[in-house]
Amino acid sequence: MQFDLTIFDCDGVLVDSEVISCRAHADTLTRHGYPITSDQVFDRFLGRSMRKATLEIEAELGCRLPDDFHTQVYAEIFRLFAASLEATPHIVEALAAIALPVCVASSGPPEKISTSLNDVGLYGRFAPHIFSAVQVPNGKPAPDLFLFAAERTWTSPERCLVIEDSVAGVTGARAAGMTVLGYHGGSHCRPNTADMLRAAGAATTFDDMRQLPGLIGQIGAAALAG
């Protein structure tokens, strides 16, 4: 097989969380004088770090958001997670069928990643190989996080397979020299999501996690044949 490691994004791939996160982000920004909808947060910031999003918004506002702004956003996210977060359908079965080592590379801070994975019972499947954008200078769509994950797992980037649901994530993984599969089965995905992921560089796209083990085998076999 071509690959030695499968790198999973967290939000929208392992957990069906993007609708919840966008809602919490939008509501908190609106309370602080920056009216924005969940859909607008989705369009502008999906797959990117909160840090980068906040800097962009502060530049538009011409002033700083409160020092505890991120804390407020995540408090709302965690409240909503506790009430309604679910694992991505069939992800448990897919992970059980994947023989490759796995890790997580997420734009979220460590506490958000661990909370979401613990809430749905997936933390133990990945720990300690869970990496956050706060550990690198630049988050997605830069390649830094993916290269960091490869380095920490002693894996060559070209032998990493990435599972992503955002254009920023696909772009970053491709910039790192990795093969990417684009997942578009989350509740946040739109009719054009698959096309956008392929345009960004995904080798193929899928909308059901039961397809993933077979796709990994197919892509590895095709690479060997080529």
Side-chain angles (χ1 to χ4, degrees):
M1 180 168 287
Q2 179 190 14
F3 306 110
D4 294 328
L5 175 71
T6 305
I7 301 175
F8 286 85
D9 180 37
C10 183
D11 292 300
V13 173
L14 296 175
V15 294
D16 197 11
S17 58
E18 293 292 12
V19 170
I20 296 172
S21 296
C22 288
R23 174 184 161 194
H25 195 179
D27 288 350
T28 310
L29 281 170
T30 299
R31 288 201 308 271
H32 287 288
Y34 190 88
I36 190 169
T37 66
S38 296
D39 283 346
Q40 289 169 327
V41 168
F42 176 96
D43 290 335
R44 292 182 58 181
F45 304 125
L46 183 70
R48 299 171 60 191
S49 71
M50 183 76 69
R51 175 181 57 187
K52 293 292 187 182
T54 300
L55 290 172
E56 187 174 308
I57 289 165
E58 288 178 336
E60 292 180 26
L61 286 171
C63 64
R64 287 178 56 84
L65 289 163
D67 290 342
D68 67 342
F69 174 75
H70 291 183
T71 301
Q72 293 181 38
V73 175
Y74 288 119
E76 180 63 7
I77 288 174
F78 295 156
R79 184 184 71 81
L80 295 172
F81 276 6
S84 58
L85 183 66
E86 295 182 355
T88 295
H90 311 297
I91 187 63
V92 173
E93 302 97 301
L95 288 169
I98 295 171
L100 295 174
V102 296
C103 73
V104 173
S106 171
S107 293
E111 60 269 30
K112 183 188 178 195
I113 305 169
S114 61
T115 296
S116 60
L117 293 179
N118 272 310
D119 281 351
V120 300
L122 290 177
Y123 184 82
R125 181 68 175 85
F126 293 95
H129 302 300
I130 297 173
F131 309 110
S132 163
V134 304
Q135 296 175 279
V136 296
N138 301 292
K140 305 170 188 179
D144 303 29
L145 179 57
F146 296 106
L147 293 172
F148 181 78
E151 178 184 1
R152 286 297 184 95
T153 56
W154 304 282
T155 309
S156 298
E158 64 271 15
R159 297 185 70 85
C160 295
L161 177 68
V162 178
I163 316 302
E164 268 286 353
D165 70 314
S166 73
V167 168
V170 173
T171 302
R174 293 295 299 131
M178 300 177 181
T179 301
V180 191
L181 300 182
Y183 175 67
H184 60 102
S187 62
H188 64 290
C189 293
R190 298 170 176 174
N192 66 340
T193 298
D195 291 338
M196 293 175 64
L197 297 176
R198 284 193 293 270
T204 191
T205 57
F206 66 106
D207 63 0
D208 188 324
M209 281 296 173
R210 289 172 292 189
Q211 300 171 272
L212 181 56
L215 286 173
I216 293 174
Q218 290 169 22
I219 289 180
L224 290 174

